[in-house]
Structure formats: structure tokens, C-alpha cells
Amino acid sequence: MSIFIAKRLLTLIATLIGASMVIFLVMEILPGDPALVILGVEATDEMVAALTKELGLDRPAPERYWTWISGLLQGEMGTSYAYKVPVWELVEGALWITIPLAIMSIILSIILALIIGLYAAAHHNKAGDVALMGFSQLGISVPNFWLALLLILLFSIQLRWFPAGGFPGWNEGFFVCIVALLLPAISLATVVGAILARITRSSVLEVYREDYVRTARSKGLSQRATLWLHVLRNALIPVLTVTGIQFSALLTGTVVVENVFHIPGLGSLVLKAINNRDTIVVENVVLLLATMVIMTNFVVDILYAVVDPRLKAHDI
Amino acid sequence: MTLLDVQDLTITLATAEGPARAVRDLSFSLERGETLGIVGESGCGKSMTALALMSLLPERSNTEGKILLESEDLLRFSEKDLCNIRGNRMAMIFQEPMTSLNPVHTIGHQVMEPLRLHKGLDKDAAHAEALRLLDRVGIPNPKARIRNYPHQLSGGQRQRVMIALALSCGPDILIADEPTTALDVTIQDQILELIQNLVSEDGMALILISHDLGVISENTDKVLVMYGGSAVETGRTDKIFGELTHPYTLGLFAAMPKLGMGRNARLATIPGVVPDLMNLPAGCTFFDRCPLASDHCRDASPPVHVLNPDHAVACHNIDDARGKKSEELYL
Ligand SMILES: Nc1ncnc2c1ncn2[C@@H]1O[C@H](COP(=O)(O)OP(=O)(O)OP(=O)(O)O)[C@@H](O)[C@H]1O
Ligand SMILES: [Mg+2]
């Protein structure tokens, strides 16, 4: 088990290094000079040159990359070009919105997936199954920003049950914040939940055909007991994999959905930073998002080994 | 009272191409402590018969006839009552030891499950009993092995675990569906011997399914030879092997390797393939492969001839078949 974790940890570090390089390169290639954007169209060449030097942007790319990474290793994200404050100050507040939003969404989608997937599998090819799979197909096809707009129209504007957007801040109370995040979470969870529901259904149906399920029944276990004690755990293995993969899609989704709901999370922050050519903020936030995805997959890998004992034997 | 009495068992499976008659008008009985062998080629309905006894046929299937366990018809039992029978009074060992155990549970857990379910044992008692069972079926070092997962065991050991699991509640009837087919030849005999010993120690009745006439002749009291879903020859093992009669049984015998046979000797085969269950012929199912077939075999199902109280054969040309040697019919 420890070898298993150590190996995964090494992969994790290698992936992070790779990701940081790609992010840095993309920002290098992206057109637009931060100094020019900050100073505006009336700036003289001398002023631009002076600011470029002040921001350290005149130094060669490898050096700047190293400054960024070595800073990160010491817990420093650098200073925002546009706001002249430490990047971490901008990121910290946003993080405490995006992470709860992502967690709420993934929990919602798993609950949705298990209820729908298990029900559909139990009513295989009957009306309930067909209807639910039809809905899930719809759920997968609907873009999350459009669903977000529909939800705002229905629940905020028509029914007035939820705020149409914005975020009160955690010091205004836990409950109001959760309420504010609920519609965004639903818009994010719908697609992922629909995908996971379909995987759950097909996985459960597949496991039902396994010989060991017949063995379980031959012991005298009821259908229901067999489902909970023998089918579910095996069926969850592919669901887990897809959950890990979908988590990155979900995080990408937050960028869009946060902007629709005017929620000051990482998604809003990164979009503003791109407009400002605040390269250093963009780089740090994107790397942070990448880290979250990689960490999730790391956790999924470990969960994998917990669910499936066969993996522990093959980890060397 | 007869322990198990199966009358006119007919199993129809719903397939994409339409209904398939996997078993047709099958009747047999089993007394306490008796061993019945069911033998026949692949696809002749042996496993379907076994699963019907356990009421574990695929959902899209229909079973007719009677399966009387001590005079009570299992086909009329509720699902709940069947759960009390399965694993408790009737248990089954399957053909595929590699896939018949759940990969995410320890073998101990899987052996303990029926004990807790049917015998109401608590965790500690079930654990102790599982240790005893694993030891009994010849798993070395059960104390350590009980925590193993199936993938950590060999095929033979997994089949031993399946046996432990099946015997855990001391069933009246054990159904062993080709328990050794998937195993190494060297292990096959050990497993069969183990089953034989355990069954006779506990006085259980055994239904041993095999496509190997040799295995059946050595290990059973009674035989049921199946072809295309029906019985072609039935009776006491010694009587049947004293006078193999049905052309199909003779074919199985001709196809069997025999003691003293040269390494390169060719085994005879029955020409043709098992019939398509979708379009079974009106008459004898063995008609198109039978060396003795005549015209009326095609049109009418064969009558059952009772040669003596312990030997019956379903064949139109019984007089032709009697006294024929297998090598006269098959080369
Ligand atoms: N789920 C199923 N649906 C439709 N037909 C099936 C199904 N399972 C088995 N059959 C068919 O039923 C017939 C009897 O199958 P069965 O498994 O009882 O054969 P068998 O005698 O046990 O053969 P083997 O020695 O290969 O195990 C076969 O022709 C098979 O193709
Ligand atoms: Mg079979």
C-alpha cells in the first residue's frame, strides 16, 4: 500500500511540473503585453519599457519561470500586476467559494447518479428506466451555462426562492452562503450527475451478470441483499474512475457558471485576470485548478485500492 | 420419503431469436445420501437443470413441471421461501471457480455469509466455523488464508473455498456442476475425491454433473444421460455401464480415453453437432447424428424402454442398439 501511494505521489509531482510548464508557455504565447494593458493606450514607449522592467517582464522566459516556481516552493505566488497586491490575497477568498461549490456539485451529482442509476438498473428496460435514461441524455446535452440561466429564470425571477446571483460572504452565515451556491451547484451537477447515472446503471447491470452474483444468490441472499452486499461495491469501481475524470470537467464548468451567477470564485478571478493580462494571477490560478484536479485523481486512485483489493497486489 | 423428485421438468429460455427449449420433460429422483450423475455434451442442458433446481434460472425463462423437495413443489415457493432453501438445504458448486467468488470480499467473509444468514451465527462463531470448514476442504494454513481475497488463491483452492461455502450449512443436496472442468487434470481427481469424502461423511445427496463418462462411472450411484435437453438413458450406474445401450451413450463412451490406450491412439467422435434449441426436430433429437437412425426416428419422439427396473432407454431402434459395441457404431 505504501509503495502504491509513493508511486502515485511521484506521478503527481511529475504531472504538476508538466502542468506548470504548459501553463507558463501558453501565457507566453498569448498575445497582449501586461504593461501596455495596465498603462492604457496613451502610454509612451518609455513608460511601457519602465513598467516592463519593474514587473520583471524583460528578463528571459526560463528565468521568469524559475522565479515563479521557486517562489511557489517558498509559499509565494508573487504580486498581481493589475492590483499590486499579493496574488494569494486574491486567490484565498475565491478559493473558499470555488472549493465548497465544487464539493457541493460533486456530492449532488453522486447522490443524483446513485439514486437514478440504481433505480434504472433495478427497473431495467421498464418504463421508469427508459424515462430516466431519456432525462439523463437530456441532462448530458444541456450546456451548464444555459441550464444556469433557466434555473435563474425559474427559481430566482419567477418563484423568487433563490438569489439570482452574487455571494454574501461566509461571515454572513453558513446557510445563506449554501443557498447562494445551490443553483450554481445544481447547474454544474446536472451534466456530471447524468453521466455518472448512466455509468452507474450500466455498471450495475454488468456486475449482475457476473458469476459471483449467482454464487451470492445460491447462498440464499435475497435480490436486495445481493445488490447491496455483492453488486454495489464492484459496480462502483468504474463509477469512481469516471467521477475522477468528470471532476476536472466540473471545475472547468465553475469558470463559466461562476460568471453567470456573479460569484467571485476562482473562475471569475481567472477570467478578469485574463482580460487584464494579469499573467501571474492567471498562471497561479490555473495551476491551482490543475492541482485540484490532480489531487482529486490521486484520492480516487487511493479509493480505488480501498474498493478493489486486486489493485494492492499489482502495485509493485 | 423421496428427497428430491423432479417430474417432467421443461425449461424454456426467452432469447432474441425466440423461445429456446433448453430442457424437455426431464424426470429423475434422488434419495438421501444418493449420488446422481448427469452426463452429456456441452449445451445439452445440464447447467440449466441444475439452476432450475436452485430456482436461479435467468429471469427471462419459464419452468414447467414439478421439483418436489420432500414432496413440496419448489416451483410454487415464494422467493422468500426459496432464499431459505438455497445455501441451506440445497447448495451448488459452479463450473467456473475463477469467477464464482466475489473479488472484493475475503474468502472468510464469503464462507461466513451463509452461516450468518441461515444458522444465525454471530461473527465470532461464524469465523470459527469458517476456519473449521476451510481446514476441512484442505486449504493449508486457514488462519492466514481466511483473510485472503480470491485473486490470491489458485483455481483449485478457489474451488475448495466454493465447496466449503456450499457445505457450510450442511445441505441435504449438493449440486456440483462440472466442478473440475476448469481445473488442471492433476487437481481434478483431488477435488472429486474431496467432494466424495465430504458428501459421504455428511450423508448428503449429490448431483454430480459432468461431460466425462469416466468421472460419472466412478463417482455415482445413478446416471442420467442427457441429449438436447432430454434424458436418453437412465438407471443405476452399475446397470448402465454393464450394458451401455443408447447410441448416444455409446458415442460418449467411444469418445472417452481408456486405460491402456496408446498415447497416439485416435479417439472416436460423434459426427455432427448438438441440435439447435430453436428448431428441435419433432422426433428424436439425436436423429441427425445417430448411426442407427431410421425414418420414423425423425417423426416421432422415441418411446422409453425399461430394460429392467434399474435401466431405461429412450430409443426407437432399441433392438438394434442392444448388444452393439461402441466401436461398432463409431470409428
Ligand atoms: N442465458 C441464456 N439464454 C439463452 N440460452 C441459453 C442461456 N444460457 C444457456 N443457454 C442455452 O441453453 C442450452 C443449455 O445450456 P447449459 O448451460 O445447460 O448447457 P450445459 O449442458 O451445462 O453445457 P456445458 O457442458 O457447456 O456447461 C445451451 O444450448 C445454451 O446455448
Ligand atoms: Mg454447464
Side-chain angles (χ1 to χ4, degrees), chain B residues 11-18 20-23 38-51 57-61 95-96 177-178 181 209-211 226 229 274-278:
Chain B
I11 302 169
T12 315
L13 300 167
T15 68
E17 295 93 55
R21 183 71 43 93
V23 171
I38 302 182
V39 65
E41 275 170 297
S42 190
C44 69
K46 305 183 297 291
S47 295
M48 288 297 139
T49 306
L51 290 174
L57 283 169
E59 242 170 61
R60 297 161 56 77
S61 67
Q95 210 164 334
E96 309 85 6
D177 184 3
E178 307 203 32
T181 305
I209 297 178
S210 176
H211 55 245
M226 278 182 85
V274 289
D276 177 10
L277 299 178
M278 314 295 302

Side-chain angles (χ1 to χ4, degrees), chain A residues 5-87:
Chain A
I5 292 182
K7 259 177 65 178
R8 287 294 187 281
L9 220 65
L10 278 179
T11 326
L12 188 151
I13 292 167
T15 318
L16 275 179
I17 294 173
S20 68
M21 286 178 176
V22 172
I23 293 164
F24 185 82
L25 268 178
V26 170
M27 292 317 291
E28 283 297 297
I29 297 166
L30 204 71
D33 183 348
L36 203 62
V37 176
I38 292 167
L39 293 171
V41 277
E42 274 125 62
T44 61
D45 286 355
E46 290 80 42
M47 287 163 71
V48 173
L51 187 58
T52 303
K53 196 165 163 55
E54 190 194 319
L55 296 176
L57 293 173
D58 55 337
R59 286 173 298 139
E63 196 188 320
R64 276 181 289 126
Y65 175 74
W66 178 243
T67 314
W68 176 38
I69 297 299
S70 54
L72 279 183
L73 290 178
Q74 292 158 30
E76 287 293 331
M77 284 185 164
T79 308
S80 157
Y81 303 154
Y83 301 106
K84 309 274 186 258
V85 294
V87 175

Side-chain angles (χ1 to χ4, degrees), chain A residues 209-281:
Chain A
R209 285 193 286 270
E210 295 283 351
D211 289 337
Y212 55 77
V213 172
R214 194 182 50 191
T215 306
R217 300 277 287 132
S218 82
K219 292 176 184 177
L221 289 174
S222 65
Q223 286 273 17
R224 182 176 294 241
T226 307
L227 172 68
W228 290 109
L229 301 174
H230 287 268
V231 175
L232 203 56
R233 189 150 157 207
N234 284 285
L236 279 183
I237 294 169
V239 177
L240 203 59
T241 319
V242 179
T243 307
I245 297 169
Q246 284 302 318
F247 189 72
S248 61
L250 196 142
L251 273 184
T252 320
T254 58
V255 176
V256 178
V257 169
E258 280 175 7
N259 278 287
V260 175
F261 283 95
H262 301 288
I263 293 174
L266 288 179
S268 306
L269 179 63
V270 81
L271 216 64
K272 246 185 277 165
I274 290 174
N275 284 334
N276 291 338
R277 291 295 179 276
D278 203 345
T279 325
I280 192 157
V281 173

